[in-house]
Amino acid sequence: MPATVVVGSQWGDEGKGRLVDMLAADSDMVVRYQGGNNAGHTVWIGEEKFAVHLIPIGILRGKLSLLGAGMVIDLDVLLQEEEELSSRGIEVRGNIRISENAHLILPYHKLIEEQEEKRRGKRAIGTTLRGIGPAYEDKVARRGLRVGDLRDRETLTDRLHDAVDYKNLLLKKIYNARGVDPDRTYHDLVTLHDHFADAVCDTSLLVREALDSGQRVLFEGAHGTLLDIDWGTYPYVTSSNPLSGEVTAGAGIPPKLIDRIIGAAKAYTSRVGAGPFPTAVDEATAEQMREPGGEFGSTTGRARGIGWFDAMVVRKSVRLNGIEELGITHLDVLDQFDQIPVCVGYTCDGKEVPSFPNQVTELDRCEPVYETLPGWKSDTSQAKSFSDLPENARRYVDRIGELAGAPVTYVLVGREREQSIIR
Ligand code: IMP
């Protein structure tokens, strides 16, 4: 299976990092195709925690790691990430390639986002404040700057000054905020570009060459399907398409080259930021799960909202992404419960809902319908194979796979690499 995609099937934070890290061991190349440093993919190696936000997590396995065209890149953050990983013995320089077509996140994007979130008040999206939305806005408005634009200094000076003038006007006149210094921005950008210049290229060529020569390429999705700009709980979504379909545009390969699509799903549900969350549990139960699940945002540190497994959500993701197998993560967090509710459907205004609604106003009126499964009340964290799991845990896993519409082929039972079951 040369081209494999791992996508998030909930609201992000499903444990894609752990799954990608595991699959990267048998891959030649790992590619991010969308999003930016709003993502946070974490792996524990023994007692050491590694979290990456921009660089594909395959870097930890020494694999060629590509930042694709569909991404938005803050070069400053990339530099920090490189320095941090290098200082811990991870080879970065020789192993990363950056798409010249990827758009840049610039200082004014972050300032504008901060102001815009403030302006929204109680309708704030609860973004990560990394400048993601404003950078994608500029991309579709065709006024963005791309990594490749940093090569031509003459046109860069012009374009950057023009962009800064416009953004400063917005910041000062509309938001009554401070603007950015164009000369300093220019200087920082070209310094950063010169640092990374060797790694900047047309990454789509590398992906295609790898696939044509039979190498195994892993596409590392970021965020989750329910945060997709088109198919998520709009407007409480991110500004890119985390869906598997975006691999084609974001990495630059045709759809027919994708062989395998794996959906990552938590054994329950979590969500950060604002927006509807039908299966949210009460705060006391959330507290019980937060600590063992490490449910604090790896990008922002925010405590995540927690809910029961929602088959309506994952079923929608299975359909939209073409997920043929699921990797269930965080199963061990459920070890503590006598009984575990699983959402099997919704009713809205007393009527059964056929599929996860696209409109948040409709979703707000939905009531989850639960089926309660017996818990297993024992430690799953040491299980090495599916048959090591208690019978009720096996039943739980199979039932959520059945409800979601895809078999479960991976089960993760802890934060460490060894705590992974391949079925
Ligand atoms: P943005 O992507 O920073 O614009 O944030 C938009 C929404 O997506 C917010 O609710 C964020 O909390 C959420 N979000 C973005 N990236 C992730 C992620 O990787 N995991 C979980 N939530 C995310």
Side-chain angles (χ1 to χ4, degrees):
M1 291 288 196
T4 300
V5 187
V6 175
V7 281
S9 66
Q10 295 159 318
W11 277 283
D13 309 319
E14 298 93 349
K16 292 176 293 297
R18 279 273 278 106
L19 276 172
V20 172
D21 171 67
M22 186 167 66
L23 294 161
D26 297 319
S27 305
D28 300 292
M29 178 186 278
V30 183
V31 185
R32 280 255 333 246
Y33 56 92
Q34 44 71 233
N37 58 311
N38 44 349
H41 295 171
T42 307
V43 167
W44 286 80
I45 306 175
E47 282 307 299
E48 260 199 280
K49 180 182 175 181
F50 291 86
V52 288
H53 302 277
L54 277 173
I55 301 177
I57 206 150
I59 200 81
L60 301 183
R61 299 270 189 189
K63 305 297 168 147
L64 195 58
S65 298
L66 273 49
L67 286 78
M71 290 186 72
V72 285
I73 300 177
D74 187 330
L75 288 177
D76 209 20
V77 173
L78 188 61
L79 180 65
Q80 287 166 32
E81 208 158 287
E82 184 202 350
E83 285 173 352
E84 151 86 8
L85 291 173
S86 303
S87 73
R88 296 169 75 186
I90 309 288
E91 164 62 19
V92 177
R93 282 324 294 279
N95 285 340
I96 60 164
R97 300 290 182 276
I98 307 160
S99 170
E100 59 189 356
N101 288 5
H103 277 251
L104 292 164
I105 298 180
L106 296 168
Y108 49 72
H109 290 132
K110 289 173 271 191
L111 295 177
I112 288 172
E113 180 166 33
E114 199 184 311
Q115 295 301 325
E116 195 47 26
E117 278 285 86
K118 261 194 228 154
R119 192 193 64 82
R120 288 188 188 114
K122 62 179 176 27
R123 289 183 300 105
I125 293 164
T127 73
T128 58
L129 297 176
R130 299 301 190 259
I132 307 295
Y136 276 116
E137 269 180 52
D138 278 355
K139 170 178 171 168
V140 294
R142 292 159 295 180
R143 56 170 173 252
L145 285 166
R146 309 202 293 185
V147 176
D149 292 329
L150 301 178
R151 274 200 294 261
D152 185 341
R153 297 290 148 89
E154 248 172 66
T155 53
L156 176 66
T157 318
D158 248 23
R159 289 186 58 194
L160 188 67
H161 274 80
D162 189 46
V164 170
D165 286 350
Y166 172 63
K167 299 297 176 179
N168 278 351
L169 212 61
L170 203 67
L171 280 161
K172 290 177 184 163
K173 302 277 184 214
I174 306 274
Y175 297 112
N176 203 17
R178 72 189 159 89
V180 300
D181 176 353
D183 296 325
R184 166 118 194 260
T185 309
Y186 177 89
H187 174 264
D188 290 351
L189 262 183
V190 297
T191 310
L192 283 162
H193 175 262
D194 292 348
H195 178 83
F196 287 112
D198 295 351
V200 176
C201 62
D202 180 348
T203 49
S204 75
L205 293 172
L206 300 179
V207 179
R208 190 57 188 261
E209 275 163 22
L211 289 172
D212 286 349
S213 62
Q215 290 187 28
R216 289 151 305 175
V217 179
L218 187 58
F219 295 94
E220 178 174 339
H223 330 299
T225 301
L226 274 289
L227 290 171
D228 187 277
I229 184 79
D230 291 305
W231 295 101
T233 42
Y234 191 89
Y236 302 102
V237 291
T238 190
S239 298
S240 66
N241 293 104
L243 287 187
S244 62
E246 177 62 12
V247 166
T248 64
I253 61 157
K256 66 177 182 184
L257 292 184
I258 298 171
D259 302 290
R260 186 180 179 202
I261 302 167
I262 304 171
K266 262 184 191 151
Y268 49 95
T269 313
S270 70
R271 159 151 224 188
V272 262
F277 189 0
T279 64
V281 297
D282 57 69
E283 195 42 35
T285 313
E287 279 288 306
Q288 266 175 274
M289 295 162 83
R290 226 171 249 138
E291 211 50 60
E295 296 296 359
F296 299 90
S298 50
T299 300
T300 58
R302 292 179 287 181
R304 295 179 186 138
I306 309 289
W308 300 120
F309 186 84
D310 189 337
M312 289 293 270
V313 165
V314 185
R315 207 180 302 148
K316 175 175 182 166
S317 297
V318 165
R319 174 171 59 87
L320 291 171
N321 290 292
I323 291 170
E324 287 163 334
E325 44 187 310
L326 285 168
I328 297 295
T329 70
H330 293 71
L331 184 70
D332 53 302
V333 176
L334 299 178
D335 289 353
Q336 54 184 315
F337 295 107
D338 289 320
Q339 298 200 309
I340 309 167
V342 168
C343 169
V344 295
Y346 297 157
T347 55
C348 184
D349 304 330
K351 289 199 198 87
E352 202 178 306
V353 176
S355 58
F356 188 92
N358 287 309
Q359 312 305 324
V360 287
T361 43
E362 194 181 332
L363 192 54
D364 279 339
R365 301 202 314 277
C366 285
E367 289 292 332
V369 177
Y370 289 106
E371 168 180 305
T372 303
L373 299 181
W376 44 92
K377 292 288 266 184
S378 55
D379 180 14
T380 56
S381 68
Q382 302 309 313
K384 297 279 174 271
S385 70
F386 197 67
S387 59
D388 287 347
L389 291 173
E391 192 184 346
N392 283 351
R394 295 200 304 267
R395 285 207 178 130
Y396 181 85
V397 167
D398 281 336
R399 181 66 180 142
I400 59 178
E402 181 184 30
L403 288 166
V408 177
T409 50
Y410 299 93
V411 183
L412 306 188
V413 290
R415 68 185 196 189
E416 288 183 29
R417 279 178 164 170
E418 297 69 38
Q419 294 174 297
S420 314
I421 296 171
I422 305 173
R423 233 172 143 184

